[in-house]
Amino acid sequence: MPPRPRTSLPIPARIRSVMAEGDYERAGLLDGLTGDARRTRVSVLESLAADGVDFEAMRDAIARDRLGLLLLERTLRPEDGHSLNDVCRIADIDIEVVRRWFQALGRPLAPDPDEPIYTDEDVEIAERIHRYRSLGFSDEEMMPVVRAVGRGVLNIADALGGLLGEALLRPGEPEPEMALRYATEARRIVEDDSLHLVHLVAAALADRIRSHALAVEESSAGRLRGAQDVTVCFADLVGFTDLGESVSAVELSEVAEMLSACATEVSAWPVRLAKTIGDAVMLVSPDPTLLVTAALDLVDVWSKEGDGRPGLRVGIAKGVGVPHAGDWFGPPVNLASRVTETARPDHVTITAAVRDAVVAAAPDDPPFHFRAAAPRKFKGVRGAQRLYRVQRRPTGTAGNGAPIDAV
């Protein structure tokens, strides 16, 4: 009877794993490990080997106690092997232009332009430069936007990195095991969150386009391009600098983060949290009444905790501002900042322009009480400014056609 022909069958995964484990053991990568710790190490090594990491790199990572972190890094930053020169050649863009874009976006700039550290996605970013130029945008117009995107991306990365970092540093679990678990999910988190970011950016961009369209309809002749009426609110923490001398940097950052969280909580369209600046936040809105309401909500939310946190002072001004690369510029921004410096802790102080706009919107039923403060002169602002401290009108108080003003 002739011998049966040999067939080529795939080696079962378990057998492949056992074979690989022998290689790892002979290479000294499993020394001293047994049970779950050994199985976890094998899983990590298999993942790294599949990603092209050699035994020498694994041995070095083990010696430096960063094997799990190496896996996490490789998972989050897959390398497709493009150098900067490759990116520029494929995209047909000058290398200095791509350097400026990548630097603004927070991408690393390799000292050697032939070092293959970039991905297919980096090539697509470079290719988009052509598309923006075809729409008529100059490089000078695009770069502020690119830098704004880069700041946002780095802020998101810092936040997610802090979340993963805290989890990785949680006591009681071996680092490689945790890194394996997070590395398994990290890429999926990135991919899923990117879809959400696309939706959020598209929705926010639609709101901004509507706002710009209204500004174009209502703008007067001679106004600076893009300028529009805006109400600006600053809120900062009282004694934040002095607080830094008595608490740790971590505790100080937690206080600043609490303020950012509170400002986010009270911000609902058309009130928007424009930016955070250390111990302060800036909110903007085309609607003065809604912004004043949000400011009062912010003070209430911040002060109700009673946990010894610093007081909050708030200043609001109104005028013609210019939105640019996610930020706002112009007289109302500067004036709101100055007013905030003079505000009492846990009070909202507004300019006469804000008060007049709120009253004009509801002359027969004003939602607030206004208490006149002493006029103030501010550096860089022409003339003395009339200021008012504002409070909600108690429920049930009749509106008699005029707000209550008192010296």
Side-chain angles (χ1 to χ4, degrees), residues 110-121:
D112 181 359
D114 289 318
E115 184 179 352
I117 66 170
Y118 298 108
T119 68
D120 290 340
E121 288 78 10

Side-chain angles (χ1 to χ4, degrees), residues 344 355 370-375 386-389 403-407:
R344 292 181 180 179
R355 172 192 174 279
F370 302 94
R371 182 178 295 275
R386 291 184 294 125
L387 303 177
Y388 297 85
R389 288 187 288 275
I404 298 174
D405 290 345
V407 178

Side-chain angles (χ1 to χ4, degrees), residues 106 159 164 184 260 300 350 354 387:
L164 288 173
T184 302
S260 177
D300 290 344
I350 65 175
V354 176
L387 303 177

Side-chain angles (χ1 to χ4, degrees), residues 42 50 52 55 73 89 96 105 127 161 169 181 184 214 217 220 235 284-285 306 308-309 327 345 376 379:
V42 171
F55 283 1
E73 290 170 358
R89 175 180 51 79
E96 290 307 316
L105 290 171
E127 290 174 337
L169 294 174
R181 186 168 75 245
T184 302
L214 289 174
E217 291 177 4
S220 58
V284 298
S285 178
R309 62 182 60 182
D327 203 348
R376 297 291 296 263
K379 183 178 179 180

